[in-house]
Amino acid sequence: MPFSPWRPGLPFSWSLAPKQVLDTGTEPQGDSVITMSGQRPVSSMTCLGQCSHRGPGMLGSKRPSIHATHQDSQENLSSWVPQSIKKKECVYFVESSKLSDAGKVVCECGYTRQQHLEEATRPHTLQGKDWDPKKHVQEMPTDAFGDIVFTGLGQKVGKYVRLSQDTPPSVIYHLMTQYWGLDVPNLLISVTGGAKDFNMKPRLKSVFRRGLVKVAQTTGAWIITGGSHAGVMKQVGEAVRDFTLSSCRDEGEVVTVGIATWGTVHNREGLIHPSGGFPAEYVMDEDGQGHLSCLDSNHSHFILVDDGTHGRYGVEIPLRTKLEKFISEQTKERGGVAIKIPVVCVVLEGGPGTLHTIYNAITNGTPCVVVEGSGRVADVIAQVAGLPISEITISRVQEKLSLFFQDAFETLSESRIVEWTKKIQDIVRRRQLLTIFREGKDGQQDVDVAILQALLKASRSHDYFGHENWDHQLKLAVAWNRVDIARSEIFSDERQWKPSELHPVMLAALISNKPEFVKLFLENGVRLKEFVTWDTLLSLYQHLEPSCLFRSKLQKVLAEEPERPAGASPVPRVQMHHVAQVLRELLGDFTQPLYPRPRTGDRPRLLLPVPNVKLNMQGVSLRSPHKRSSGHVAFTMDPVRDLLIWAIVQSRRELADIIWAQSQDCIAAALACSKILKELSKEEEDTDSLEEMLALADEFEHRAVGVFTECYRKDEERAQKLLTRVSEAWGRTTCLQLALEAKDMKFVSHGGIQAFLTKVWWGQLCVDNGLWRVILCMVAFPLLCTSFVSFREKKLQARRGMLRVRAFFSAPVVIFHLNILSYFAFLCLFAYVLMVDFQPAPSWCECLIYFWLFSLVCEELRQLFYDPDEFGLMKVALLYFSDFWNKLDVGAILLFVAGLTCRLIPGLLYPGRIILSLDFTMFCLRLMHIFTVSKTLGPKIIIVKRMMKDVFFFLFLLAVWVVSFGVAKQAILIHNESRVDWIFRGVVYQSYLTIFGQMPAYIDGVNFSLDQCSPNGTDPYKPKCPESDAVRHEPAFPEWLTVILLCLYLLFTNILLLNLLIAMFNYTFQQVQEHTDQIWKFQRHDLIEEYHGRPPAPPPFILLSHLHLFVKRVVLKMPAKRHKQLKSKLEKNEEAALLSWELYLKENYLQNLQNQQKQRLEQQVQDISEKVNAVADLLEMEGRKRSSSLDQRLASLEAQVAQTSRALHWVMKALRDSGFGSEEGVPTLAPQKASEGRECELDGRQKAEDVGDGHHVNARHLLYPHSHVTRFPVPNEKVPWETEFLIYDPPFYTDDRKDKGWVDPAGNALEALAGLSYNTVDGPTDRRSFHGLYVVQDGLPLNPMGRTGLRGRGSLSRFGPNHTLQPVITRWRRNQDGAICRRSIRKMLEVLVVRPPLSESWALPGGSREPGEMLPRKLKQVLRREFWSSFQNLLIQGTEVYKGYVDDPRNTDNAWIETVAVSIHFPDQSDMDLKRLNSHLHTRDPGMSVQWQVVDKRIPLYANHKTILQKVAALFGAFY
């Protein structure tokens, strides 16, 4: 078992005595240890693409193709493994006295002569010597590694490797993470149990399998097992198999790594491939395996440990222990949060080896989950786990062993039972590390919850400074992605979290895409305006997913950065202005950059919060208080917007939903998200990602529609303000503009938006005015002075005169109709000139046309240079030419100029007229745009435009048939036609007309006539004659062939292609017809906006308006302004009120959405199902409670009966002793049967020591610290020397220390120890005990507290008492104002502690003293010499708080530690001695640390030091 990753306990050494390995023997009769650790596997491709180290701001390139990467991975593995990983081979054959199973002579290593290397059987320098594995087994490059496939069991491919037992764990870990592609685990779970098949109850088996795989899958786990197809390994393998069969591919694969002994694997010959097996086929043959074992086919990875022997089990245990320990010491970092990989042990069934594994795990701080009901050791521990230590006696353990081990119990010796009792006592004593899983009892339903709760319980029991304990637990829950555990175990009333304490894990949850945790943190007080800082945003964008398209776009932007100065990082770091550049590409050039670009000369501020920027959730007041020059733009920072954008660019739906629900400017946010996603989808190559983006874009558009609907129902006017309000947070754009750029037709076609557009269309006129009234007023404008038309504003309705005329003629609807009349007049005049009045010298009508066209040109120029948003000429020009109708206008004008130029040249008069005639056609097409405003014609024009696209595709198909038939026909009929025009006619023109029924006259020879053609092709007006007989004047071409070609041609063109065209038109019509109304409403805006900003006068009178604009813009330098109806900047107070109103209605929308979700039939069925399950669980739980209550009552009754029985025994004995009665006829009472009922559940918050467990505990740990010595096991009841313990035979150990002048002699020779005097002052050494006289037996003193299991002085200096001094230096904890801090009303202390080198625990600055010295050596190491004398005076003035025995793990039967604890307290912070002490604190050893720490029960001190510190706190009435 590995060490606990968070274990801050005593320093210890790891040792395994030869007898302490798991069940030994030649057959797999022992126990198996299984380890599971967290993270899902990734492919080799992912590993090679991601495992290399990159800086936080570096963006890597895209991953290579799967095939290429897999090939590279095999090549790298084939070259790396033989160089780095070795196997073991026996190089000297020594015949063994035992034969193999087949009766063959074998070597001491277990292999036959034929299985040895050739040099192993030759005469050897070691000939005649005994076989020694250290000398006769050598390492060689491994010959078994690669991929493994189990024959006949599907196509699942695993990984395997054969390696030496001496392989460093770091090499194996590198192989697993780099070459096998496994990510660093989040969790390591070790499952130990029987290695042979055993029976489990079906329900318990199901619960265990389900829970084990669930915890592995949810936390992302490796499962490390013994790898064989038996016992616990088989149970785990079948659990993984069931999960694989029932899960979908998206849930990921559970990694199962089997660590087995190479020499015990059956059919391992098929795995040997010197250059790597890709794949190697393995055959499972359980019938013929004998005493060997088959590998389990449900494992994904195998580590086969080789020691050069055959058939010996347990070889893998030491290496596996080292590997688990190494993995547990690794740190996993994600999102800036780093945790050491936690470890937990799960126990199923098992024998002696399992008990040893559990003991090692508990000793090293690893929590264990014991599954009750699985059998043997697991049930023994489960039965006694709830008892006090004093009741876990040898007899009780013996009774449980006889019950659960049955036949095997008879083979257990007394010493073995004593050892078991001692180990079980030590295991149960650490109750905070022990969890008993009782299926269905006390609310326990799932193994996965029990495992994770055990980890948290153990973590909660460990000592940390301050809030490190809770922080560590929360980090674990986030790493496991178990929000249910966090809610129930961490976010409870026991701990009140400050929002700032959740910021690191909030960042980790965002980066690792754990939306449930983000939601949990928001519910528990995290405020985004405090969480989102400049550094946070940089960290988020530097941790974009490698496959994210936005990341690749950022990479391109970084690649375009100018050359960096010398000394700068070669790879540019991501900065927020890079992000703003990409976002502007996605949102559109009509927006301003969302993040500022650092100006030249500014120092980098990437890793510091942005100065002079105030974060505000409102999203409108985040501006620099410093005034900017007119050339700079004020930037707004909105934390919700920034997080929402980060989530959207990665298509994280759930995160985006949670963050959007926090937003205030929610309509603009939803439309901006839709725009970003639609732009990203245009560049996305992966089809699934593309569909996901578009679906998410539609969802956000639907959200925008929903919120706007709520607003519009509540208040139409305020809702329309939301459309035109300038949003500072989204680049100074409006909701309407975002929707138009994103082509969100559903939003734009909303009734409220259309009502707004209609309102803009009618200007200041009432929308209920009939169109005929407007047209009549246009013709007879004096009617405006009457009430013939109505206006919206009351002042216009009441007043008469020019104001009404101006308001009427400035309405877009009036301007539109005036322009229609003007345009029709222009076309009529143009047609008249072309057909009637086109003279060599231009007439006045033609001159009027030129003047009219000039006014049109001026209007187009005005539209081109109109830039109210100050985008710049280039961007405005791009926007202008992005419209098809503008391109048509420019083309018509340029064609008119070309025609006019030719017309003014006398020789080109006719070509000029032709060009102008064609130009007239283009001007007529412009009418289609004008009529798009019509609700009747507009949708039809849209359908026609869509059908035009179908026609172009159809023409391509048609051209193939036309050209093929035309060329074939022309080549058959005509010989060497040289006239290009007649070739075109014959090939294309006639073939095209044939489709419409105009057949060629001579294609079949019926209408053949030489008068209709030119024999030599010299007549320009006649086609060349076809091939003919000059004598008979008959056609000579094959008529039958031309007729067949014609029939086939008409069949494919007239019937197939034309019907295909009709079908395409029909499909387009049906498709567009469904959305025609939306499309028309969407495109209607462009026309309304065009005429909304157009001058009132129609051409050619519009020149007067242009002259007026020229004077304003050029002469008076007045900037262009957008009309407030389409874009308005609100005052701060008005905007804040409007956004608050929108936020309130957004909450209503979300509530309604949730209610609708609940009312769905599927949701109702699911809710009913959950309620039924809950009721069933309650009923089942109630039944169990009743059963449990009955069991408890029976147990209580049994205890009372037993007590009564004992009382009767006492009464009978007293009567007999008094002479009453005789021995005859004495009734025999039945012996008391031990209760086998349910034990009480362990409480993780219980003390480590049981009440009444008064014996020393640390001094009886089986593994003596810093050595390989194992103590003799001493159970609690055998600790006192007065208790008889006949088999007690402890080993003798005395450490041979370097400082021999200050220690007692080593060795166990009594002669060397004869000169020592005990219970007195022996020279400079005081051997008196604070507890009075102690016994000296056989020349050695006896520990006054009882047996320890070890004789000698161990690593201590003296036999007998070793006196130490522990100064406890304290002061009051004060805040910044100097006031004493309090907790639970009590004052808080601070204590001076030190941390020795290479230790994780802190200690009081005391310890042993050199003879004649007053200060401990440890204290001298942290104090300057000049302060030693002053500190001695402080010690003399101090208060003694404890004097006596110390339960230390170094104590032995003959040597122990006694200490004196002296409290030195500084009540005043201005105390000169305190100031001098602080100024003289200095550590000589750079590895040693010294600091003041708050006194708390969780302070990570040695256990005996915490006891002393508790006494000091009680002395001053301080908090502890």
Side-chain angles (χ1 to χ4, degrees), residues 20-138:
Q20 292 177 317
V21 297
L22 301 189
D23 293 336
T24 58
T26 58
E27 293 187 6
Q29 297 175 349
D31 310 321
S32 167
V33 183
I34 303 174
T35 304
M36 177 166 44
S37 70
Q39 258 327 345
R40 300 176 191 173
V42 292
S43 63
S44 301
M45 170 190 69
T46 307
C47 175
L48 293 177
Q50 298 177 9
C51 289
S52 60
H53 176 73
R54 297 191 187 104
M58 303 178 185
L59 297 177
S61 58
K62 289 190 175 181
R63 295 176 290 181
S65 66
I66 295 176
H67 179 71
T69 310
H70 185 64
Q71 265 191 337
D72 294 342
S73 176
Q74 290 185 2
E75 294 176 0
N76 293 336
L77 193 65
S78 299
S79 60
W80 181 82
V81 168
Q83 297 176 3
S84 306
I85 297 179
K86 309 298 181 183
K87 67 174 182 177
K88 284 204 171 183
E89 288 279 1
C90 178
V91 296
Y92 178 53
F93 184 87
V94 177
E95 185 174 333
S96 173
S97 59
K98 298 179 181 179
L99 300 179
S100 68
D101 293 341
K104 296 182 179 180
V105 176
V106 296
C107 175
E108 288 288 344
C109 67
Y111 287 101
T112 63
R113 188 181 298 272
Q114 292 76 16
Q115 292 173 325
H116 278 68
L117 299 175
E118 186 177 351
E119 59 267 21
T121 58
R122 295 175 181 175
H124 204 277
T125 56
L126 300 174
Q127 189 169 1
K129 296 185 179 180
D130 295 335
W131 189 82
D132 185 356
K134 296 181 180 179
K135 299 178 180 179
H136 298 160
V137 176
Q138 296 182 2

Side-chain angles (χ1 to χ4, degrees), residues 1136-1152:
L1138 187 65
L1139 290 177
S1140 298
W1141 177 72
E1142 181 190 16
L1143 178 63
Y1144 168 73
L1145 292 177
K1146 179 203 68 180
E1147 297 298 333
N1148 288 349
Y1149 164 73
L1150 292 176
Q1151 186 64 36
N1152 294 336

Side-chain angles (χ1 to χ4, degrees), residues 309-320:
T309 65
H310 168 79
R312 298 182 184 177
Y313 285 89
V315 173
E316 81 283 357
I317 295 174
L319 178 62
R320 180 165 150 198

